[in-house]
Amino acid sequence: MKRAMAMLLCAPLAAAAVEPMNDSALAQVAGRDGMSFNLSDFSLKGSATLRYHTGDGSGSFSFGDLTASRSDNPDGFADPYRFDIVKGSAGRADIMRLSMPENAAGHEAWQASFVLGVQADGRDVNVGTVELKDLVYYGGGFEWSTPQVDQGLAFGIGLRSSIGSLALRQGESSMILSGVHIGARGADGAPAGPWRLADVTNQPGLFQARTDAEGQASLHVGIGWAGPEGAPQGTLQIENIAFRSPTGNVDLGASRIGTIQLNYLDVRFRP
């Protein structure tokens, strides 16, 4: 009996010969390719400025002087990023998927900073410098596809991350958020796995340019209505909120949102 089972298991391997395929057969192939990559020793520093101007040229918003770097997993390729193209559900377009490293030990941490600026009403204002320290992603990722209805780009986001500190500095004054943790809400209220803010299939986000009936153009970012069961639950925890200035320091302590649900989002930017 054991011998017969072994022969049956081996039979498909022997039959897997390479054969030519005509166009009709080739059209039925549904396989997809993907790739894995890492960002070992990654660092970036530059003085370039990206600026968005209003339609009438009366103002602009900019960020520049970007610096970014990442610490690495001691095993350089043990936990890579993955980029895949996966087949969509029936009648839907394929989905591009970027999966973040699981990073269970938190070895891969990002450091970054950039300068924000605004020009309006004849004034050029340096809003301040944004500093990110020890930004760590734990799995999750991003998805893109063609919207089922309307034009633009459909997207999905799964996020679990921790930030050592997030600071906005203006001269000698600053606002600092320390110990920021975000993710799916676990049974004890703590982050447990990536929080699905938008799902490209079940509750897609949408990024598009729109023109209303009056000819007014806008940039639209939104997340569609959740299903009858509601959107996935997330949680946000901040260990300390602080303000620093030459005239004195204020610590507001911890803040926590135990349960967050994005059932619908509609944001429009007008020039």
Side-chain angles (χ1 to χ4, degrees):
M1 183 65 179
K2 291 183 179 179
R3 183 178 179 183
M5 290 180 65
M7 292 177 64
L8 288 172
L9 291 172
C10 292
L13 299 178
V18 177
E19 299 179 2
M21 300 177 66
N22 57 34
D23 290 344
S24 178
L26 190 61
Q28 303 303 314
V29 175
R32 297 292 184 271
D33 292 328
M35 61 179 294
S36 298
F37 63 95
N38 211 332
L39 298 172
S40 298
D41 299 321
F42 178 88
S43 65
L44 173 69
K45 184 176 182 180
S47 57
T49 297
L50 297 177
R51 186 176 296 276
Y52 171 76
H53 292 270
T54 58
D56 59 5
S58 62
S60 66
F61 172 83
S62 69
F63 72 93
D65 295 333
L66 173 66
T67 64
S69 63
R70 196 199 74 174
S71 58
D72 297 325
N73 189 321
D75 189 346
F77 206 69
D79 194 10
Y81 296 83
R82 278 197 55 84
F83 181 78
D84 298 285
I85 298 178
V86 298
K87 188 173 181 61
S89 56
R92 299 291 301 272
D94 289 350
I95 299 169
M96 294 183 291
R97 177 179 296 160
L98 174 64
S99 301
M100 308 292 281
E102 294 297 326
N103 199 18
H107 291 303
E108 299 177 9
W110 289 89
Q111 320 295 327
S113 68
F114 54 90
V115 177
L116 295 175
V118 174
Q119 291 181 348
D121 299 327
R123 301 176 62 191
D124 190 349
V125 179
N126 181 343
V127 177
T129 300
V130 177
E131 295 181 356
L132 278 167
K133 293 184 178 180
D134 295 327
L135 169 60
V136 180
Y137 292 101
Y138 298 96
F142 306 89
E143 295 178 332
W144 302 269
S145 189
T146 303
Q148 189 172 8
V149 295
D150 214 338
Q151 301 295 316
L153 179 71
F155 64 88
I157 301 176
L159 177 64
R160 183 186 174 192
S161 65
S162 294
I163 304 174
S165 68
L166 170 61
L168 174 61
R169 304 189 187 279
Q170 172 61 269
E172 297 182 18
S173 301
S174 59
M175 179 185 72
I176 305 171
L177 307 181
S178 303
V180 181
H181 310 281
I182 185 170
R185 186 183 187 279
D188 59 353
W195 174 29
R196 180 66 67 174
L197 285 83
D199 187 291
V200 75
T201 301
N202 300 316
Q203 191 194 8
L206 188 64
F207 181 83
Q208 61 182 174
R210 280 183 172 178
T211 302
D212 60 24
E214 300 178 354
Q216 179 69 45
S218 64
L219 181 64
H220 174 235
V221 181
I223 297 176
W225 287 107
E229 297 181 357
Q233 295 182 353
T235 185
L236 171 65
Q237 300 177 6
I238 303 174
E239 295 176 9
N240 189 51
I241 302 173
F243 294 87
R244 302 284 184 258
S245 72
T247 58
N249 301 326
V250 177
D251 286 302
L252 300 181
S255 178
R256 174 178 176 178
I257 303 177
T259 303
I260 310 173
Q261 282 185 296
L262 288 180
N263 288 300
Y264 179 75
L265 178 69
D266 188 9
V267 180
R268 304 186 187 192
F269 300 92
R270 298 185 185 276

